[in-house]
Amino acid sequence: MFLLEGIAQALLLALIIDRLIGDPGWLYRYVPHPVEIMGGVIADLEKWSFGQAATAHSLFERGRMTTLVLVLGSLVFGLLIQWLCLLLPFGWIILAVLMSTLLAQTSLADHVRAVGEGLNEGLHEGREAVAHIVGRDPQQLDEHGVARASIESLAENFSDGVVAPAFYAFVLGLPGILAYKAINTADSMIGHKSERYLHFGRFAALLDDAVNWLPARISALLITVAARLMPGASCVDAWKTINRDAQWHRSPNGGWPEAAIAGALDIRLSGPRSYEGELTEDPWIGAGNPDLTSNDINRALRLFWWSSGVMTGFILLAVLLT
């Protein structure tokens, strides 16, 4: 019971720290961010893997080894640090500070807000800002496309960067959030369907889909509850859109938070887009207005903070009950 209480308290404080302070960029000028360390490990193992003679099967096995080494190493390291922290009288506070570096509430909101501010200055500035948070070619986007792309990124990263890390931290503490970030980092670096990573990164991509399955659906529920509380949003339409459109998204998980935000705000997301010069005919998510502006970005950010607040409220309730 003490372990659960200490972890829940640490997670609650971590969310508050991340909300108030965000990423301490000044600190990472002196010490590497945990994700940067993970990225270095992946890069070294990738270099070794492609330096050997390889078949499709051997590349898959080496990619699986790379991912599992990183994840298991993160678990063991997290268990050790958490055990040491919880031995101390107020060690849960140290644990909270460490967890806060792996949450992305404020940094995500700041990046998305920058897109809205950029659009207010002009299309060129909006495209430059959105290029930091999406993988598609921003030069192919008009004002509405830039706004949609930023809200889509906000929705998906609410799940990947906030809810999923918090969920695994709640379940396992620091080892849980570190292991999740290891999987997520591996997927972002090597989990692509390009010629180089088709086999090497396939295990990382499959594992990332698996660990995000439940958090994505929790994210959609949190957004739906938040839409009930936020003026100008509709929880009924959020729920209807989830049930109708989430399944059509290119990702098995990304459609859930996107559909929830689209329905709640009566907007339309996804649709045809360009990746690396190739046009994809993705279906629309939502039945509302597709011609979005910076005002819609601001509405989505308000819903994002309401949703994060709902999640924090549930964690507070867990602390009070333990």
Side-chain angles (χ1 to χ4, degrees):
M1 181 66 72
F2 171 75
L3 179 62
L4 176 61
E5 182 181 6
I7 290 174
Q9 285 179 336
L11 176 57
L12 179 62
L13 181 57
L15 286 165
I16 295 171
I17 292 171
D18 180 53
R19 174 66 180 91
L20 296 177
I21 300 175
D23 256 351
W26 60 269
L27 177 62
Y28 302 130
R29 290 197 292 268
Y30 304 99
V31 296
H33 190 281
V35 171
E36 184 181 344
I37 296 173
M38 293 174 185
V41 172
I42 294 170
D44 288 342
L45 290 173
E46 177 188 348
K47 184 177 180 181
W48 174 84
S49 297
F50 281 94
Q52 317 294 315
T55 62
H57 176 73
S58 65
L59 280 176
F60 175 81
E61 291 299 324
R62 292 170 193 170
R64 180 168 66 174
M65 180 203 71
T66 294
T67 304
L68 290 178
V69 165
L70 185 68
V71 173
L72 292 175
S74 299
L75 270 173
V76 171
F77 180 74
L79 279 169
L80 176 62
I81 298 300
Q82 180 168 280
W83 175 71
L84 291 172
C85 286
L86 294 180
L87 285 177
L88 302 173
F90 294 98
W92 64 274
I93 297 177
I94 301 173
L95 195 60
V97 173
L98 295 174
M99 286 183 180
S100 72
T101 66
L102 299 168
L103 296 165
Q105 295 174 107
T106 299
S107 62
L108 172 59
D110 287 346
H111 278 91
V112 174
R113 185 179 300 106
V115 178
E117 293 171 350
L119 278 178
N120 287 334
E121 295 178 15
L123 179 57
H124 173 73
E125 289 78 7
R127 285 171 170 171
E128 283 194 338
V130 84
H132 294 291
I133 58 174
V134 300
R136 74 195 73 169
D137 180 8
Q139 300 307 315
Q140 302 298 318
L141 301 175
D142 60 10
E143 176 191 4
H144 308 311
V146 169
R148 285 196 304 271
S150 67
I151 296 173
E152 290 161 12
S153 180
L154 179 68
E156 292 191 42
N157 283 290
F158 173 59
S159 176
D160 295 353
V162 179
V163 176
F167 172 78
Y168 287 105
F170 185 78
V171 173
L172 291 174
L174 186 62
I177 193 172
L178 277 174
Y180 172 77
K181 294 301 288 188
I183 295 168
N184 196 242
T185 302
D187 177 63
S188 66
M189 290 184 66
I190 64 175
H192 312 297
K193 293 182 178 179
S194 64
E195 182 179 351
R196 178 177 178 85
Y197 295 121
L198 181 62
H199 304 292
F200 183 72
R202 186 152 58 95
F203 180 79
L206 291 171
L207 186 58
D208 186 73
D209 284 343
V211 298
N212 278 302
W213 190 92
L214 184 56
R217 286 144 183 84
I218 293 173
S219 300
L221 289 175
L222 290 171
I223 293 168
T224 303
V225 173
R228 178 66 180 84
L229 303 173
M230 175 181 148
S234 171
C235 67
V236 173
D237 289 338
W239 185 250
K240 287 180 179 178
T241 307
I242 290 167
N243 285 297
R244 187 187 65 232
D245 294 344
Q247 62 185 312
W248 304 119
H249 197 273
R250 61 165 49 213
S251 161
N253 300 316
W256 287 75
E258 272 194 36
I261 282 188
L265 299 180
D266 192 26
I267 60 177
R268 199 180 304 178
L269 300 173
S270 193
R273 76 242 344 249
S274 176
Y275 281 103
E276 299 179 351
E278 183 176 335
L279 183 67
T280 64
E281 294 293 336
D282 289 359
W284 289 100
I285 302 293
N289 178 26
D291 297 331
L292 308 186
T293 67
S294 60
N295 289 332
D296 296 293
I297 295 175
N298 291 333
R299 293 173 63 219
L301 281 168
R302 287 198 296 274
L303 183 57
F304 165 79
W305 283 120
W306 274 98
S307 304
S308 293
V310 169
M311 181 183 70
T312 303
F314 280 124
I315 295 170
L316 174 59
L317 181 62
V319 170
L320 295 176
L321 292 177
T322 53

